[in-house]
C-alpha cells in the first residue's frame, strides 16, 4: 500500500485525537514510536492493515466510524491539499468522481508498485449515480 494512505490516517488521528493517540495506534500495530511514513513510499499491505485496524481500538471509534472519518478527512483535508491541481480541473463533484479512474492512471503512471482502486458507475443519470469501488486488496 502506498504511504499516502497511512500519512493521511496519521493526519486524521492526530487532528481528531492528538499525537498521543497516533503513538498508541503505532504501538498497537507493532511499529516503533515515531515511525515515519512517506506518501510515495511503499508499506506492505499486511503492515498497513495493522495500522488501519488499530485506529479504532486506539481511539474508541468503531471501524465504521474510522472509515467514515477517513473518507471525510481524505476528501476535505488531505487530498484536497495534496492533489489540489487535480481537484481544480473538474467543474463539479460529479465530474471529478466520474474521472477517478483516469485520475488514478495519471497520478500512478510513473509510480512503482502502485495498485490503485478502480471504479465503475451504475445508474448514471443527469444528476446522480452509484460509484462502485474495486480493489485488488479486497478493500
Amino acid at each position: 500500500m502506498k504511504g499516502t494512505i497511512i500519512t493521511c490516517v496519521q493526519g486524521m488521528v492526530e487532528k481528531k485525537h492528538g499525537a498521543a493517540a497516533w503513538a498508541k495506534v503505532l504501538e498497537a500495530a507493532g511499529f516503533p514510536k515515531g515511525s515515519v511514513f512517506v506518501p510515495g513510499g511503499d508499506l506492505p499491505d499486511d503492515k498497513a492493515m495493522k495500522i488501519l485496524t488499530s485506529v479504532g481500538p486506539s481511539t474508541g471509534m468503531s471501524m465504521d466510524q474510522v472509515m467514515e472519518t477517513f473518507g471525510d478527512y481524505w476528501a476535505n483535508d488531505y487530498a484536497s491539499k495534496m492533489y489540489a491541481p487535480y481537484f481544480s480541473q473538474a467543474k463539479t463533484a460529479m465530474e471529478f468522481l466520474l474521472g477517478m479512474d483516469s485520475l488514478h492512471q495519471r497520478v500512478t503512471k510513473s509510480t512503482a508498485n502502485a495498485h490503485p482502486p478502480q471504479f465503475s458507475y451504475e445508474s448514471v443519470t443527469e444528476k446522480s449515480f452509484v460509484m462502485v469501488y474495486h480493489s485488488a486488496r479486497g478493500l
Side-chain angles (χ1 to χ4, degrees), residues 12 18 29 31 36 44 55 72 94 101 103 112 114 118 122 128 138:
M12 174 196 81
F31 284 83
V36 175
V55 172
D72 179 67
M94 187 171 183
D101 274 330
L103 173 64
Q118 294 182 317
E122 301 170 1
S128 67

Side-chain angles (χ1 to χ4, degrees), residues 94-105:
M94 187 171 183
E95 181 182 325
F96 178 76
L97 293 172
L98 288 170
M100 286 304 295
D101 274 330
S102 173
L103 173 64
H104 276 119
Q105 288 172 7

Side-chain angles (χ1 to χ4, degrees), residues 91-98 121-130:
K91 292 180 177 80
T92 66
M94 187 171 183
E95 181 182 325
F96 178 76
L97 293 172
L98 288 170
Y121 306 91
E122 301 170 1
S123 304
V124 177
T125 67
E126 188 176 316
K127 294 186 179 184
S128 67
F129 62 93
V130 174

Side-chain angles (χ1 to χ4, degrees), residues 31-53:
F31 284 83
K33 184 178 180 179
S35 292
V36 175
F37 303 95
V38 180
D42 290 317
L43 187 64
D45 287 352
D46 61 329
K47 291 184 178 194
M49 291 306 293
K50 284 183 182 179
I51 291 172
L52 294 171
T53 58

